[in-house]
């Protein structure tokens, strides 16, 4: 090499480097080609995609080779971990049929291009072998709306960070929305400090970044007393602001890609509180996906527990009993329920496997509310947990399915499943009475609850006076219809939303929880937000889409018996709600159609004793609709208590003769007072 012409030598060396780089890329492509052949080989067998033993072997081999060549072993490990992880995801994608299908997906994320969110979304889409169109939007709500409206196929959201913890807003979205987790990604967050000039960190006065990124670098920032952290819209905009200001005392924290885009100097490549910071993302879609049983898979769900000691523990115990390993447990407050919590659980398991399906059944009967958020191919899993996914996948092979015996005392594949239309409602599945909690009130078990109020909410004065009176007499829950199922279209149809507000205000003033009827699916969310219990009327007992809709919300449901429904049909209807994950069903006997015309309906009190035997769900009796006549209401309420009902529902009106609906069967105030006095004398 000649000293006279250093530029020529440098050029030559760089060319040599380029060739090596090209070779590296070619070798990577060749490796991937071989991975594709392996995937084809595996496709015809039941062999699990992930083989932790083999992965360990590969890593050890390359580490040893690196060391013998004077290279850094940790560097070799890091690079090959990435390569293996990518190879596995390509194999998974090929099993899902993604390979070669040239799928194009539109993906929404929060923020600007070249932010962590954007780069992680790109990494996820590439790992699936898809092409992507990426849409950065300013707010989380816009991201969700664009998915819900069909503008994009996937909403890609950060859910937790190894330094900053969980991102609560995303958990709330998962609870509220009917969206599904279809994938996850683990993204290595490189927190780069960048400025317009190569200045020492001590010269910096202001450091701009997204609040979440600042959280993750709190130690670094705190060590610079002269510098002030400034929250910014996103990390990319922070970089742009630093570049635009051209002030060398200003720096931003963000991705190296964004720093490069704005031609900033990277002062430090890792200012995070930990050496390695990972962000876990979830991909949400409008419909769920099914995952091949050979692929390591996770299932995410939300549950609220029964009002019992050790309730959460028994749910977790079910996962353990079925050999499902839990990877995450997070609690969030239940909306409008101070100091009550819902639990978000991730575990390794695939809903397509019998073992997982049985565990979910057991969980449904143990929990009061359960919603499956998604079942998806796992990417963010602690290293040592991977080995447990292998036996699970193998177990799914058809020959072995029958030998996968469920734990003692838990449902077996063939047990109550076959003949009956209901099994979650069946007392055989859950021998103890279900007790439903509404605020501080318990419904079911040994208690007796009185629901009282007008047939319809008619005016502020009417509902307020009734609320205060029934409360004074010892009623526990205020009723009042606002969406009314009337036999004829010209009859009073209820006050709708305005009525709901009046009912909610009256309940609040009297200190009573409220119940009201929902007639259509689009009323469910509106009513669930304001009412403590949703009522499904007799005419809708077999409106299956409506039952499924109330099964998806975390609110107790009072299911009235259909006008001509058998007890079996009624329990099957309850099962529709339970099967969606809402275990908070109260059955309400309200009389059935018979040849008898002396009463409006025939109140079937024998249903109470039959139900007490067949189901664990609470049972309430409505003698107002059951008889249709004021005079008969109190005696039948007393009889209901005597035969083992868990409560009654009574129509009360300040002036029944002027009532806009069901005046004949409504009690006036003195009538309700004497009903209550009689009830307290009933011995059970
Ligand atoms: C009601 O409770 O107001 C009502 C309409 O009842 P049902 O659905 O039992 O007729
Ligand atoms: Mn009525």
């Amino acid at each position: 090499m000649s000293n006279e012409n250093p530029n020529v030598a440098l050029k030559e060396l760089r060319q040599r480097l380029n060739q090596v780089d090209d070779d590296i890329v070619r070798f990577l492509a060749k490796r991937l080609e071989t991975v594709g052949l392996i995937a084809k080989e595996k496709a015809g067998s039941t062999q699990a995609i992930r083989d932790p033993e083999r992965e360990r072997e590969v890593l050890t081999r390359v580490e040893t080779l690196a060391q013998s060549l004077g290279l850094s072993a940790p560097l070799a490990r890091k690079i090959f971990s990435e390569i293996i992880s990518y190879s596995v995801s390509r194999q998974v994608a090929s099993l899902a049929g993604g390979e070669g299908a040239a799928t194009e997906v539109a993906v929404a994320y929060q923020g600007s291009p070249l932010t962590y969110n954007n780069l992680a979304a790109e990494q996820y889409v590439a790992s699936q072998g898809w092409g992507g169109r990426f849409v950065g939007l300013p707010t989380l709500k816009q991201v969700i709306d664009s998915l819900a409206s069909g503008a994009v196929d996937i909403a890609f959201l950060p859910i937790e960070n190894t330094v900053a913890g969980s991102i609560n807003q995303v958990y709330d979205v998962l609870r509220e929305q009917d969206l599904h987790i279809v994938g996850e990604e683990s993204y290595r967050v490189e927190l780069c400090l960048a400025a317009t000039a190569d200045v020492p960190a001590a010269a910096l006065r202001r450091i701009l970044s997204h609040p979440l990124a600042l959280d993750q670098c709190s130690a670094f920032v705190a060590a610079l007393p002269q510098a002030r952290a400034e929250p910014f819209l996103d990390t990319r905009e922070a970089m742009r602001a630093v570049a635009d200001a051209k002030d060398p005392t200003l720096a931003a924290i963000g991705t190296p890609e964004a720093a490069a885009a704005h031609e900033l100097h990277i002062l430090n490549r890792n200012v995070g509180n930990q050496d390695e910071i990972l962000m876990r993302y979830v991909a949400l879609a409008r419909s769920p996906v099914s995952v091949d049983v050979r692929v390591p898979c996770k299932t995410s769900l939300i549950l609220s527990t029964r009002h019992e000691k050790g309730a959460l523990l028994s749910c977790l115990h079910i996962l353990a009993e079925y050999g499902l390993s839990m990877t995450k447990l997070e609690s969030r407050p239940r909306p409008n329920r101070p100091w009550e919590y819902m639990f978000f659980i991730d575990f390794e398991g695939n809903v397509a496997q019998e073992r997982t399906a049985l565990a979910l059944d057991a969980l449904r009967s143990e929990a009061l509310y359960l919603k499956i958020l998604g079942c998806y191919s796992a990417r963010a899993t602690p290293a040592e947990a991977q080995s447990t996914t292998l036996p699970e996948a193998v177990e799914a092979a058809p020959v072995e399915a029958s030998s996968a015996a469920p734990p003692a005392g838990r449902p077996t594949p063939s047990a109550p499943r076959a003949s009956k239309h209901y099994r979650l409602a069946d007392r055989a599945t859950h021998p103890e009475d279900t007790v439903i909690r509404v605020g501080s009130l318990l419904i079911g078990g040994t208690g007796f609850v009185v629901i009282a109020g007008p047939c319809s909410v008619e005016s502020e004065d009417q509902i307020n006076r009734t609320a205060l009176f029934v409360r004074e007499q010892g009623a526990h829950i205020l009723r009042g219809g606002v969406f009314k199922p009337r036999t004829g279209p010209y009859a009073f149809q209820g006050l709708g939303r305005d009525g709901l507000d009046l009912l909610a205000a009256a309940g609040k003033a009297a200190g009573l929880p409220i119940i009201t009827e929902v007639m259509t699916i689009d009323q469910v969310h509106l009513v669930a937000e304001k009412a403590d219990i949703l009522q499904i009327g007799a005419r809708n007992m077999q409106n299956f889409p409506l039952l499924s809709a109330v099964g998806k919300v975390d609110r107790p449901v009072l299911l009235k018996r259909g006008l001509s429904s058998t007890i079996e049909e009624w329990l099957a209807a309850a099962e529709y709600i339970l099967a969606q994950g809402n275990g908070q069903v109260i059955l309400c006997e309200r009389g059935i159609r018979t040849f008898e015309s002396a009463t409006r309906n025939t109140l079937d009190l024998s249903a109470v004793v039959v139900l007490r035997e067949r189901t664990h769900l609470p049972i309430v009796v409505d003698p107002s609709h059951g008889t249709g006549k004021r005079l008969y209401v109190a005696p039948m309420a007393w009889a209901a208590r005597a035969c083992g009902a868990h409560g009654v529902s009574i129509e009360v009106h300040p002036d029944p003769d002027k009532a806009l609906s069901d005046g004949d069967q409504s009690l006036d105030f003195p009538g309700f007072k004497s009903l209550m006095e009689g009830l307290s004398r009933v011995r059970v």
Side-chain angles (χ1 to χ4, degrees):
M1 229 167 281
S2 83
N3 273 347
E4 302 100 75
N5 209 344
N7 280 345
V8 173
L10 190 62
K11 217 169 146 189
E12 220 178 78
L13 286 172
R14 281 188 172 155
Q15 250 164 20
R16 211 187 296 170
L17 206 56
N18 286 351
Q19 258 164 24
V20 175
D21 287 347
D22 292 355
D23 282 345
I24 293 177
V25 175
R26 272 190 209 100
F27 275 123
L28 281 178
K30 204 164 171 188
R31 191 182 195 283
L32 215 57
E33 209 180 290
T34 316
V35 164
L37 294 176
I38 293 177
K40 277 208 187 84
E41 204 53 46
K42 284 185 185 173
S45 77
T46 55
Q47 205 184 333
I49 283 289
R50 197 124 209 195
D51 183 346
E53 198 47 54
R54 160 87 186 139
E55 286 173 26
R56 264 193 293 275
E57 194 188 294
V58 172
L59 289 178
T60 316
R61 204 167 38 76
V62 295
E63 264 183 85
T64 317
L65 178 63
Q67 231 155 5
S68 73
L69 296 172
L71 281 171
S72 146
L75 177 70
R77 168 167 284 269
K78 202 167 157 185
I79 292 172
F80 273 85
S81 298
E82 287 286 337
I83 292 175
I84 290 172
S85 151
Y86 184 72
S87 303
V88 169
S89 63
R90 293 304 294 263
Q91 289 191 36
V92 169
S94 80
L95 274 181
E99 198 78 4
T103 316
E104 273 289 319
V105 289
V107 182
Y109 65 92
Q110 189 188 346
S112 313
L114 302 186
T115 52
Y116 300 101
N117 289 356
N118 172 219
L119 298 173
E122 286 183 4
Q123 179 179 304
Y124 171 71
V125 167
S127 74
Q128 302 298 309
W130 298 335
R133 177 170 66 82
F134 298 90
V135 186
L137 295 167
T139 65
L140 175 62
K141 185 172 182 314
Q142 284 167 297
V143 172
I144 293 301
D145 288 349
S146 73
L147 174 62
S149 71
V152 297
D153 308 301
I154 283 175
F156 194 75
L157 303 172
I159 191 156
E160 65 179 302
N161 179 284
T162 51
V163 172
S166 290
I167 295 160
N168 291 336
Q169 300 94 302
V170 175
Y171 278 96
D172 292 342
V173 162
L174 291 173
R175 176 177 51 71
E176 283 161 21
Q177 309 275 333
D178 210 1
L179 297 172
H180 305 267
I181 305 180
V182 296
E184 69 171 357
E185 185 60 278
S186 169
Y187 185 77
R188 199 181 303 274
V189 175
E190 222 178 321
L191 291 156
C192 283
L193 180 75
T196 47
D198 193 4
V199 292
L204 300 174
R205 293 290 172 269
R206 286 161 61 206
I207 298 177
L208 321 182
S209 195
H210 186 272
L212 191 62
L214 289 170
D215 266 2
Q216 296 164 51
C217 322
S218 54
F220 175 83
V221 178
L224 300 174
Q226 81 293 346
R228 181 159 46 92
E230 257 176 55
F232 231 73
L233 198 61
D234 66 43
T235 53
R236 168 68 187 274
E237 290 312 313
M239 291 280 183
R240 191 195 304 280
V242 168
D244 288 351
K246 296 194 179 64
D247 174 353
T249 68
L250 227 64
I253 295 172
T255 66
E257 288 84 350
H262 291 286
E263 295 176 358
L264 296 176
H265 286 266
I266 294 182
L267 306 180
N268 188 331
R269 276 203 169 258
N270 187 6
V271 291
N273 290 356
Q274 288 173 14
D275 280 349
E276 184 179 62
I277 299 180
L278 297 173
M279 184 75 117
R280 181 175 164 236
Y281 285 85
V282 285
L284 303 186
R286 287 181 297 278
S287 6
V289 285
S290 50
V291 182
D292 191 289
V293 288
R294 287 164 292 182
V295 166
C297 183
K298 255 189 214 172
T299 298
S300 296
L301 53 86
I302 311 180
L303 57 83
S304 32
T305 54
R306 288 175 178 273
H307 177 70
E308 282 165 16
K309 277 199 186 72
L312 177 62
L313 195 62
S314 20
C315 291
L316 302 184
H317 196 67
I318 289 173
L319 291 178
E321 272 184 283
Y322 283 90
L324 300 169
S325 147
M326 185 174 72
T327 56
K328 172 128 212 243
L329 172 64
E330 180 74 36
S331 76
R332 293 282 303 142
R334 277 176 92 182
N336 301 319
R337 293 267 167 263
W339 318 123
E340 290 183 30
Y341 299 89
M342 309 190 78
F343 301 97
F344 287 77
I345 293 176
D346 293 345
F347 65 87
E348 292 175 317
N350 187 332
V351 291
Q353 290 175 306
E354 187 134 50
R355 176 153 61 122
T356 310
L358 288 171
L360 287 172
D361 265 2
L363 272 181
R364 270 192 202 95
S365 81
E366 193 61 42
L368 268 188
Y369 172 75
L370 182 143
K371 176 178 168 186
I372 295 177
L373 300 171
C375 173
Y376 48 91
S377 140
R379 303 262 299 150
T381 308
E384 68 275 25
Q386 284 165 6
S387 60
T388 66
T389 63
L390 184 60
E392 179 180 75
V394 169
E395 202 173 284
V399 272
E400 296 200 41
S402 60
S403 65
R410 295 289 178 199
T412 56
S414 56
R417 243 176 210 214
S419 57
K420 281 186 192 164
H421 287 301
Y422 61 93
R423 72 199 143 82
L424 296 171
D426 196 337
R427 198 180 271 283
T429 318
H430 192 90
E432 309 84 37
D433 282 353
T434 281
V435 177
I436 293 167
R437 186 182 169 137
V438 178
S440 57
L441 194 69
L442 301 179
I443 306 172
T446 53
F448 192 83
V449 63
V450 176
I451 303 170
C455 177
S456 306
V457 175
E458 297 170 4
S459 69
E460 189 175 358
D461 177 65
Q462 174 242 21
I463 191 65
N464 283 346
R465 279 172 57 206
T466 312
L468 293 173
F469 182 79
V470 300
R471 160 82 208 221
E472 220 169 85
Q473 300 307 312
H476 307 94
I477 298 170
L478 178 66
R479 62 151 287 152
V482 297
F483 300 108
K484 294 300 300 176
R486 302 307 302 279
T487 304
Y490 308 123
F492 174 61
Q493 303 288 310
L495 294 182
R497 281 165 181 256
D498 294 343
L500 183 58
D501 290 338
L502 294 179
L503 180 68
K508 202 162 183 197
L512 292 176
I514 59 168
I515 176 170
T516 196
E517 178 166 349
V518 281
M519 293 209 301
T520 61
I521 292 174
D522 54 314
Q523 288 162 3
V524 171
H525 277 278
L526 170 78
V527 174
E529 245 170 58
K530 306 209 166 156
D532 301 277
I533 306 175
L534 309 182
Q535 178 172 316
I536 298 287
R539 289 152 196 85
N540 273 317
M541 190 203 85
Q542 285 190 316
N543 180 341
F544 301 119
L546 181 62
L547 297 177
S548 296
V550 296
K552 287 186 186 137
V553 295
D554 179 21
R555 275 281 174 275
V557 177
L558 181 126
L559 177 65
K560 298 195 97 175
R561 182 176 182 179
L563 304 177
S564 308
S565 299
T566 64
I567 291 174
E568 286 286 312
E569 286 163 343
W570 190 10
L571 287 170
E575 189 80 7
Y576 268 89
I577 304 173
L578 303 174
Q580 291 298 324
N582 190 351
Q584 307 162 92
V585 176
I586 304 157
L587 299 165
C588 177
E589 164 61 42
R590 46 80 69 206
I592 44 174
R593 286 274 166 88
T594 66
F595 54 83
E596 182 53 70
S597 57
T599 47
R600 181 180 175 184
N601 292 292
T602 298
L603 184 67
D604 180 12
L605 284 185
S606 63
V608 175
V609 291
V610 174
L611 287 171
R612 289 296 305 253
E613 183 202 358
R614 295 200 187 171
T615 183
H616 51 86
L617 298 172
I619 306 139
V620 158
V621 169
D622 171 356
S624 307
H625 293 86
T627 62
K629 261 197 173 148
R630 200 175 303 155
L631 193 63
Y632 307 151
V633 170
M636 294 315 282
W638 303 331
R641 178 160 203 202
C643 73
H646 298 104
V648 285
S649 174
I650 310 291
E651 287 188 342
V652 183
H653 194 284
D655 189 355
D657 291 335
K658 296 217 175 82
L660 297 180
S661 59
D662 286 353
D664 290 348
Q665 67 195 37
S666 299
L667 299 182
D668 57 11
F669 289 178
F672 183 67
K673 187 170 192 283
S674 74
L675 178 146
M676 291 299 282
E677 283 163 2
L679 259 188
S680 60
R681 285 197 295 270
V682 176
R683 295 236 301 275
V684 278

